[in-house]
């Protein structure tokens, strides 16, 4: 039947390779030596379903790292002969140790079938395997076999044939995720390899080659002659060595064991007592079925407490610093003078950028805590604990942390989705994060809720708004997973690294890395938008004849025969009217007026419209912009007078609609920028921006119109 395939049996010594080899080939075998070494080479033939197979029993190996002659022979065979299928023979009664070679075979890119041999032994020891989960985790079909009883041989042959016949698609994700630092070096080396590839390319999977070079594999090193790659590799090794305080190969190996131990924790049940390492003992407590969730919630509560408590004093300092700068800058101009430069510096730049930088202590502290939890190994467990709940809503255990951070700020939350290796899970999480009501929306609620709702309703109202966000996030995630982000759900395999005390340096480094990103990305975007918004509310200024009219009114008041106090009051009111007229006349005011017909169905007027546009820069701006259009000098959430004006102009229903719209609608520009960068495409950012705004519009219109028809909150 024409087709002839090459099948290699690989496995640890004593895993039963030769037994299975004999089962498959019977008498049709031939024993020789591998050239140059006294390692036995056994080869045989077998026909299954019309497909002829040449089967080779490779020498026993614990890894592909070529530490022994046997390992070198096995690896060279894979490299030079490129078997069509590699059967990884695993002693399943000693699964974790045997899987190490299997993981390396997968990384190498071998078309793999796994034989869980000695399954009789495994059963006797009380192990139960979730084969489907393990097979998904390791990208290979698994067949249970009992070699010396010839059990499972047909199923094994079937699996070999199906792998041989399957089209070889490049894998969608890496087998092992080596963590941020190592992954970065891997991509650097891969880039270097790509740009300096020999004619015809390398005979290896580039990722495997990069990892192996970082492991300082002597054999593979010899094959690299180009200096660019060599330099890249040694730089990477030096950096990792410094970072981990040990050779990268040790860290790489421990990551592989992390994947294996995570997979086994998930997919292997034992009816008898298993290993008892320190990590296991800690896990008995921290990931306990009953205590796990409460412990996790307490941990998170502590993190948020610390973040905000410790963050308060430095936030105060930053605020005073900006207030002080504003005062000093303002003093450069004579009192009462109107200067565009002064207004730009103070109203535009200091207020806009200051409003963002104020959150920096929180962000740094939050990242410090997260870096600590991550490096200590707890975060992987937390995801493990949350996974069952998150799966119900179509998300991943690892989505939980980013969504939680989203209640603080969407920007670090979106950055935190990096821990999700699966792109679909990551994008889904990223898309719904803005629905977690962020800290910048709180000032809006704090302004509106006390204005429109009686004391007893205030807490439930806040709770309701947050809950609406969460419920919408769950629904949106489900919809995304069923439509544009549809795809088979990747079985959850967590890497469970051993617990260890994080080093001071690495925790600080992680914190700084992300904090700096926030400062740079958000800072530049916010600066630009603040200036733009300032210009839009400042220009064009009122024409001369309008200004004169206000001036005349003021002069008339001065000339009147009333007390100075009354005069001041009248003049202040004229100033207010002038400021309001100026805003209505500005670009922002005109845009607000222009979109008013669109806003009407939600119950909003042009003033609210300009505030919502301001909210695009940062949600806090909604409050200050409302203050500006209502010409209240000091507009912050505490200001009574702004509240009174809102009460006079709007109904509780409109107040609720404002909160609803700001909760759901487009996130701020900084979030847009971060989503763009982190998703790698502006399309996702546009989808998030447009999709959420459309959703907000729809829901707010429905709520407002229904409320109006039913006469609620008018
Ligand atoms: P190799 O060194 O990897 O080639 O392993 P062998 O084929 O020599 O097998 C090692 C020993 O394990 C032999 O005594 C086999 O009879 C035994 N063996 C092979 N498969 C099984 C199995 O599935 N269950 C049990 N209990 N023993 C097996
Ligand atoms: Mg053997």
């Amino acid at each position: 039947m024409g087709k002839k395939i090459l099948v290699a049996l690989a496995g640890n010594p004593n895993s039963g390779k030769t037994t299975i080899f004999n089962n498959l080939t019977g008498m049709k075998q031939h024993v020789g030596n591998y050239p140059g070494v006294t390692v036995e080479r056994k080869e045989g033939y077998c026909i299954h379903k019309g497909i002829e197979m040449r089967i080779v029993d490779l020498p026993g190996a614990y890894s592909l790292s070529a530490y022994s002659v046997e390992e070198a022979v096995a690896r060279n065979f894979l490299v030079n002969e490129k078997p069509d299928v590699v059967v990884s023979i695993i002693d399943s009664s000693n699964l974790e140790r045997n899987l190490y070679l299997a993981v390396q075979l997968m990384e190498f890119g071998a078309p793999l079938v796994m034989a869980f041999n000695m399954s009789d032994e495994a059963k006797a020891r009380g192990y139960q395997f979730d084969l489907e989960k393990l097979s998904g985790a390791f990208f290979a079909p698994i067949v249970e076999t009992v070699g010396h009883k010839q059990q499972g041989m047909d199923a094994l042959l079937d699996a070999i044939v199906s792998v041989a016949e399957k089209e070889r698609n490049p894998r969608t994700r890496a087998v092992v995720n080596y963590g941020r630092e190592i992954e970065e070096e891997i991509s650097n080396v891969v880039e270097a390899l790509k740009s300096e590839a020999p004619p015809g390319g390398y005979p290896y999977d580039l990722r495997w080659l990069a990892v192996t070079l970082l492991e300082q594999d002597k054999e593979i090193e010899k094959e690299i002659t180009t200096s660019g790659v060599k330099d890249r590799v040694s730089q990477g090794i030096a950096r990792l060595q410094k970072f981990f305080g040990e050779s990268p190969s040790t860290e790489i190996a421990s990551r592989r064991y992390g994947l294996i131990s995570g997979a086994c924790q998930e997919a292997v049940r034992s009816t008898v007592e298993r290993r008892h390492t320190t990590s296991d003992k800690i896990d008995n407590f921290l990931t306990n079925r009953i205590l796990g969730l409460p412990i996790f919630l307490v941990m998170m509560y502590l993190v948020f407490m610390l973040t905000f408590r410790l963050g308060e004093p430095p936030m105060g300092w930053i605020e005073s610093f900006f207030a002080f700068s504003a005062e000093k800058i303002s003093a450069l101009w004579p009192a009462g003078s109107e200067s565009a430069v002064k207004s730009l510096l103070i109203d535009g730049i200091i207020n806009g950028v200051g409003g963002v930088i104020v959150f920096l202590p929180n962000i740094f502290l939050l990242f410090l805590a997260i870096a600590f939890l991550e490096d200590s190994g707890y975060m992987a467990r937390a995801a493990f604990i949350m996974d069952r709940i998150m799966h119900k809503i179509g998300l991943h255990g690892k989505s939980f942390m980013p969504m939680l951070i989203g209640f603080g700020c969407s920007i670090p939350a979106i950055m935190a989705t990096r821990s999700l290796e699966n792109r679909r899970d990551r994008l889904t999480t990223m898309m719904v994060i803005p629905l977690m009501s962020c800290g910048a929306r709180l000032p809006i609620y704090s302004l509106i809720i006390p204005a429109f709702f009686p004391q007893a309703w205030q807490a439930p109202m806040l709770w309701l708004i947050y809950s609406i966000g969460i419920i919408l996030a769950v629904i949106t995630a489900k919809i995304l997973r069923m439509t544009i982000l549809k795809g088979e759900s990747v079985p959850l395999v967590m890497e469970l690294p051993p617990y260890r005390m994080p080093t001071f340096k690495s925790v600080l480094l992680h914190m700084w890395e992300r904090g700096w990103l926030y400062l740079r990305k958000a800072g530049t975007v916010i600066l630009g938008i603040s200036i733009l918004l300032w210009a839009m509310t400042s220009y064009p200024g009122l024409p001369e004849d309008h200004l004169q009219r206000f001036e005349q009114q003021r002069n008339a008041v001065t000339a009147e025969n009333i007390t100075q106090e009354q005069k001041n009051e009248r003049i202040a009111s004229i100033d207010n009217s002038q400021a309001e007229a100026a805003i209505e006349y500005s670009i922002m005011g005109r845009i607000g007026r222009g979109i008013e017909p669109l806003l009407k169905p939600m119950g909003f007027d042009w003033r609210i419209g300009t505030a919502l546009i301001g909210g695009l820069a940062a949600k806090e701006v909604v409050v200050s912009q409302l203050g500006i259009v209502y010409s209240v000098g000091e507009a912050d959430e505490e200001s009574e007078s702004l509240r009174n004006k809102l009460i006079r102009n709007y109904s509780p229903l409109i107040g609720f609609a404002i909160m609803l719209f700001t909760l759901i609608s487009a996130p701020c520009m900084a979030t847009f920028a971060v989503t763009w960068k982190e998703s790698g495409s502006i399309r996702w950012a546009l989808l998030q921006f447009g999709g959420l705004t459309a959703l907000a519009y729809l829901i707010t219109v429905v709520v407002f119109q229904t409320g109006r028809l039913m006469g609620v909150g008018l």
Side-chain angles (χ1 to χ4, degrees):
M1 305 270 329
K3 207 161 165 199
K4 193 168 180 178
I5 59 175
L6 177 60
V7 178
L9 307 184
N12 289 12
N14 285 317
S15 55
K17 282 190 312 305
T18 308
T19 310
I20 289 179
F21 175 77
N22 289 337
N23 289 345
L24 298 182
T25 58
M27 288 296 107
K28 303 180 281 296
Q29 54 174 270
H30 153 95
V31 182
N33 267 348
Y34 285 94
V37 287
T38 55
V39 176
E40 197 182 56
R41 174 178 172 138
K42 283 186 147 182
E43 207 174 293
Y45 291 90
C46 162
I47 294 179
H48 182 74
K49 291 191 173 161
I51 292 178
E52 201 179 346
M53 305 175 190
R54 187 155 68 92
I55 301 182
V56 176
D57 182 8
L58 292 178
Y62 291 109
S63 78
L64 279 188
S65 306
Y67 290 127
S68 66
V69 186
E70 280 81 3
E71 286 179 1
V73 167
R75 187 166 88 186
N76 289 340
F77 183 89
L78 296 178
V79 170
N80 300 326
E81 315 243 7
K82 296 198 175 45
D84 297 289
V85 179
V86 175
V87 181
S88 169
I89 310 239
I90 285 159
D91 173 357
S92 56
S93 66
N94 193 356
L95 190 62
E96 298 208 19
R97 196 172 90 173
N98 275 252
L99 277 173
Y100 191 80
L101 175 67
V103 166
Q104 283 196 314
L105 287 168
M106 274 169 295
E107 292 191 279
F108 179 80
L112 208 63
V113 171
M114 294 206 270
F116 274 28
N117 197 34
M118 314 254 178
S119 52
D120 54 339
E121 277 280 344
K123 283 206 181 78
R125 292 193 197 178
Y127 292 125
Q128 284 172 333
F129 305 119
D130 182 339
L131 291 182
E132 204 178 316
K133 216 168 213 177
L134 286 168
S135 164
F138 295 113
F139 304 95
I142 299 176
V143 180
E144 286 191 89
T145 58
V146 182
H148 67 306
K149 293 198 175 145
Q150 305 233 3
Q151 284 171 16
M153 293 305 127
D154 263 338
L156 183 59
L157 285 166
D158 285 346
I160 292 171
V161 168
S162 81
V163 167
E165 285 178 344
K166 207 162 67 191
E167 246 202 292
R168 241 158 265 153
N169 295 321
R171 261 198 292 274
T172 48
R173 74 178 171 105
V175 180
V176 186
N177 172 7
Y178 285 109
R180 210 174 307 119
E181 272 68 37
I182 298 177
E183 285 297 337
E184 205 171 282
E185 295 308 330
I186 293 173
S187 12
N188 287 341
V189 174
V190 167
E191 281 314 307
L193 286 166
K194 272 187 194 154
S195 63
E196 293 191 19
Y202 285 100
Y204 308 104
D205 175 84
L206 288 187
R207 182 179 161 89
W208 180 83
L209 189 54
V211 172
T212 310
L213 286 169
L214 290 171
E215 284 183 287
Q216 290 168 282
D217 185 293
K218 295 281 168 288
E219 290 290 324
I220 295 293
E221 262 169 24
K222 278 187 226 153
E223 303 207 24
I224 302 297
T225 46
T226 52
S227 61
V229 176
K230 277 186 178 168
D231 290 348
R232 213 41 272 187
V233 170
S234 46
Q235 271 170 34
I237 290 172
R239 206 184 77 98
L240 293 174
Q241 173 90 39
K242 211 166 135 201
F243 191 86
F244 293 112
E246 61 189 352
S247 102
S249 60
T250 313
E251 186 63 25
I252 288 173
S254 97
R255 282 284 177 165
R256 287 190 189 120
Y257 279 118
L259 168 70
I260 292 167
S261 107
C264 290
Q265 185 115 349
E266 280 261 321
V268 180
R269 286 253 201 92
S270 174
T271 47
V272 289
E273 278 294 276
R274 274 209 308 150
R275 52 197 182 115
H276 266 295
T277 63
T278 319
S279 281
D280 285 341
K281 280 183 203 139
I282 302 175
D283 273 343
N284 279 342
F285 179 62
L286 288 182
T287 63
N288 182 286
R289 244 167 229 283
I290 300 150
L291 289 176
L293 193 60
I295 292 175
F296 173 63
L297 293 178
V298 168
M299 290 261 209
M300 287 305 111
Y301 181 73
L302 285 179
V303 166
F304 279 90
M305 267 265 293
L306 280 180
T307 304
F308 289 101
R309 279 283 157 81
L310 292 180
E312 244 164 66
M315 278 175 91
W317 304 333
I318 294 176
E319 263 167 8
S320 335
F321 169 77
F322 280 108
F324 174 81
S325 321
E327 202 178 292
K328 284 285 160 223
I329 289 171
S330 164
L332 297 177
W333 281 270
S337 75
E338 291 302 323
S339 152
V341 179
K342 173 180 156 189
S343 169
L344 168 67
L345 286 176
I346 292 170
D347 300 334
I349 295 175
I350 291 186
N351 279 348
V353 177
V356 175
I357 294 190
V358 150
F359 292 112
L360 207 59
N362 283 339
I363 302 253
F364 270 115
L365 283 165
L366 186 63
F367 280 146
L368 183 72
I370 290 174
F372 183 86
L373 291 179
E374 260 182 0
D375 288 7
S376 66
Y378 180 71
M379 213 52 123
R381 273 84 180 175
F384 183 77
I385 295 166
M386 286 311 297
D387 191 61
R388 213 163 309 160
I389 300 167
M390 297 303 282
H391 254 291
K392 291 219 171 77
I393 60 174
L395 287 165
H396 193 277
K398 287 186 182 177
S399 306
F400 184 75
M401 201 57 214
M403 289 174 78
L404 197 65
I405 299 173
F407 286 114
C409 176
S410 301
I411 295 160
I414 286 169
M415 275 151 47
T417 60
R418 287 180 190 184
S419 61
L420 286 145
E421 304 92 63
N422 179 266
R423 188 164 161 79
R424 284 195 208 96
D425 287 335
R426 190 172 172 211
L427 282 170
T428 311
T429 312
M430 222 185 267
M431 288 294 122
V432 303
I433 275 175
L435 288 167
M436 304 288 110
S437 186
C438 72
R441 283 153 170 136
L442 198 55
I444 305 172
Y445 310 148
S446 322
L447 172 72
I448 288 174
I449 290 179
F452 293 108
F453 300 96
Q455 187 87 47
W457 282 52
Q458 291 178 1
M461 217 55 199
L462 191 63
W463 180 85
L464 178 67
I465 285 286
Y466 274 80
S467 305
I468 290 174
I470 297 169
I471 292 166
L472 283 175
V474 170
I475 297 172
T476 312
K478 276 241 175 215
I479 292 175
L480 286 173
R481 277 320 236 125
M482 283 176 346
T483 55
I484 47 174
L485 290 169
K486 191 159 68 184
E488 60 197 273
S489 170
V490 174
L492 174 95
V493 174
M494 289 304 183
E495 286 137 59
L496 288 187
Y499 285 106
R500 51 179 116 165
M501 196 60 203
T503 66
F504 190 61
K505 203 170 115 190
S506 98
V507 168
L508 279 187
L509 210 80
H510 280 164
M511 175 193 85
W512 173 250
E513 232 173 40
R514 298 185 209 178
W516 172 238
L517 226 85
Y518 170 81
L519 192 61
R520 210 181 46 189
K521 289 281 164 222
T524 46
V525 172
I526 289 282
L527 177 64
I529 299 279
S530 298
I531 294 174
L532 188 69
L533 279 180
W534 167 83
M536 281 165 72
T537 23
S538 304
Y539 294 100
L542 281 175
E544 200 53 40
D545 54 329
H546 287 231
L547 289 175
Q548 267 166 18
R549 204 163 342 117
F550 284 111
E551 200 52 45
Q552 278 161 13
Q553 284 177 16
R554 268 188 289 262
N555 291 339
V557 170
T558 322
E560 264 179 71
N561 190 13
I562 48 175
T563 65
Q564 188 60 40
E565 216 167 283
Q566 283 170 318
K567 278 185 190 172
N568 288 348
E569 212 171 276
R570 298 272 302 272
I571 288 180
S573 137
I574 294 167
D575 286 347
N576 267 355
S577 314
Q578 179 177 346
E580 198 172 336
I583 288 177
E584 211 175 335
Y585 194 80
S586 72
I587 298 177
M588 188 64 106
R590 291 175 208 205
I591 294 177
R593 280 247 181 253
I595 60 173
E596 204 167 25
L598 214 64
L599 300 175
K600 271 272 153 59
M602 297 190 286
F604 300 165
D605 60 12
W606 70 270
R607 293 185 177 86
I608 298 176
T610 67
L612 295 178
I613 294 169
L616 294 180
K619 293 284 178 187
E620 303 93 321
V621 177
V622 171
V623 170
S624 55
Q625 186 72 20
L626 271 177
I628 295 170
V629 290
Y630 275 109
S631 308
V632 182
E634 265 299 284
D636 55 51
E637 59 268 38
E638 300 302 328
S639 97
E640 221 14 79
S641 46
L642 176 56
R643 252 183 217 148
N644 286 338
K645 293 206 176 194
L646 293 180
I647 294 169
R648 231 181 304 120
N649 283 280
Y650 307 117
S651 63
L653 183 59
I654 294 179
F656 185 72
I658 296 175
M659 292 196 289
L660 204 54
F661 189 82
T662 45
L663 165 73
I664 310 168
S665 67
C668 61
M669 287 316 286
T671 303
F672 180 85
V674 171
T675 303
W676 181 358
K677 168 147 194 296
E678 294 291 314
S679 68
S681 154
I682 194 172
R683 273 184 297 171
W684 288 107
L686 287 171
L687 178 72
Q688 185 188 55
F689 202 83
L692 288 177
T693 307
L695 184 68
Y697 189 74
L698 195 78
I699 291 179
T700 313
V701 168
V702 168
V703 167
F704 178 73
Q705 296 299 339
T706 313
R708 216 175 50 144
L709 285 176
M710 292 172 43
V712 180
L714 295 179

